[in-house]
Amino acid sequence: MLGPPGVGKGTQARRLAATCGCAAISTGEILREAAARATPLGLEARRQMDAGRLVEDEVMIGLVRERTAGPDARCGFVLDGFPRTVAQAEALGAMLAARGQELDVVLYLWVGEEELIRRLRGRRECPVCKRAYNPEGAPARDGRHCDDHPGAELRPRADDTEEAIRQRLAEYRVKTAPLVDYYTAAGRLRSVPGAGTVEEVFQSLRREAGCDRRVEQAT
Ligand code: AP5
């Protein structure tokens, strides 16, 4: 899944992975878990994330190599938040080729910047399952607690401050947006508008990802 901060990558990657029967792998979530455990990598990553800057390519490539070799990724995986630079994209291509695997599709999700900022400002996350909610567009049933974890009070993410949002958007424009051309040239990109309800966007992504075909092939 490729797209700017706040476009809905995490929201949709979970649903797509569940539908396609594969693993959802979010590099942002891996880093936040490492930060919560206060590992040296996590603490360094926390500094970069809270400032809205990208973590170094080498660190991210190593994390993804390890995570995608996990048992739950054997049937395939949806990557959310990786690759984010051309160097990461090249490393992913080499990693997959070395394993005899193939990148099926790059789903490029996009909406205007005003909408991105509105979504990030309003985002609240479940501390247990990390599902994202939003009062406008993706509200929790009672407005305060996770639908699946009724004891868990929703809270903002540490990198959803005004300054970090601005910096993340700037990093995206300079370092990640070039991947749109990179994967267009590779013939792998499918562009999907991220405006509309979560369900509408999901149905568009599902079509572009060929989820139904994949599930049929696997059964
Ligand atoms: P990461 O966690 O990947 O953050 P991000 O890319 O900035 O994306 P977000 O998680 O903010 O947004 P999203 O697109 O997933 O949207 P969401 O579904 O939550 O990365 C965080 C940090 O980790 C980075 O800044 C960097 O420091 C580091 N990092 C991670 N990967 C890295 C890498 N590969 N290389 C280097 N550094 C890396 O939705 C947003 C909000 O909108 C939610 O409130 C949601 O409920 C709502 N929403 C979703 N869809 C809709 C809809 N259709 N209508 C209305 N609201 C909606």
Side-chain angles (χ1 to χ4, degrees):
M1 305 267 315
L2 176 63
V7 74
K9 301 183 298 296
T11 301
Q12 301 292 349
R14 285 165 172 246
R15 293 190 64 172
L16 273 180
T19 304
C20 292
C22 57
I25 298 179
S26 156
T27 44
E29 242 173 76
I30 295 174
L31 294 173
R32 283 186 288 278
E33 276 165 19
R37 288 199 311 274
T39 63
L41 162 74
L43 293 176
E44 176 52 26
R46 163 68 60 215
R47 270 192 289 279
Q48 304 296 339
M49 286 191 290
D50 288 355
R53 285 191 296 268
L54 293 188
V55 172
E56 295 81 56
D57 286 335
E58 286 315 308
V59 173
M60 298 312 305
I61 292 164
L63 280 177
V64 168
R65 180 174 290 118
E66 191 181 308
R67 180 63 186 84
T68 54
D72 64 331
R74 258 188 226 129
C75 295
F77 43 85
V78 178
L79 284 173
D80 156 23
F82 186 93
R84 251 174 156 108
T85 62
V86 170
Q88 292 181 16
E90 286 169 349
L92 176 65
M95 193 186 307
L96 294 177
R99 292 175 184 168
Q101 295 175 323
E102 218 181 302
L103 179 64
D104 295 312
V105 64
V106 176
L107 297 165
Y108 168 47
L109 203 53
W110 56 273
V111 294
E113 200 159 303
E114 222 173 273
E115 174 68 6
L116 295 175
I117 293 171
R118 194 186 63 75
R119 289 185 184 182
L120 290 170
R121 281 181 182 154
R123 173 164 52 191
R124 296 291 179 274
E125 200 179 70
C126 170
V128 179
C129 67
K130 315 299 178 198
R131 178 172 162 189
Y133 292 88
N134 208 296
E136 291 172 57
R141 270 199 295 274
D142 76 356
R144 277 186 55 202
H145 299 90
C146 178
D147 294 351
D148 303 320
H149 301 95
E153 192 155 350
L154 303 178
R155 56 188 189 200
R157 229 169 73 179
D159 58 345
D160 282 344
T161 60
E162 293 297 318
E163 208 184 321
I165 290 173
R166 256 199 314 278
Q167 182 61 33
R168 282 156 64 200
L169 288 168
E171 292 271 274
Y172 174 80
R173 277 185 231 110
V174 174
K175 297 179 182 166
T176 309
L179 292 181
V180 173
D181 285 345
Y182 179 92
Y183 283 120
T184 301
R188 286 284 185 257
L189 197 91
R190 300 279 179 282
S191 186
V192 179
T197 65
V198 171
E199 182 59 29
E200 285 163 353
V201 176
F202 174 66
Q203 292 306 333
S204 306
L205 286 166
R206 186 185 163 134
R207 267 193 307 279
E208 293 294 344
C211 271
D212 299 330
R213 181 170 37 80
R214 277 177 228 292
V215 170
E216 268 167 33
Q217 279 168 355
T219 50

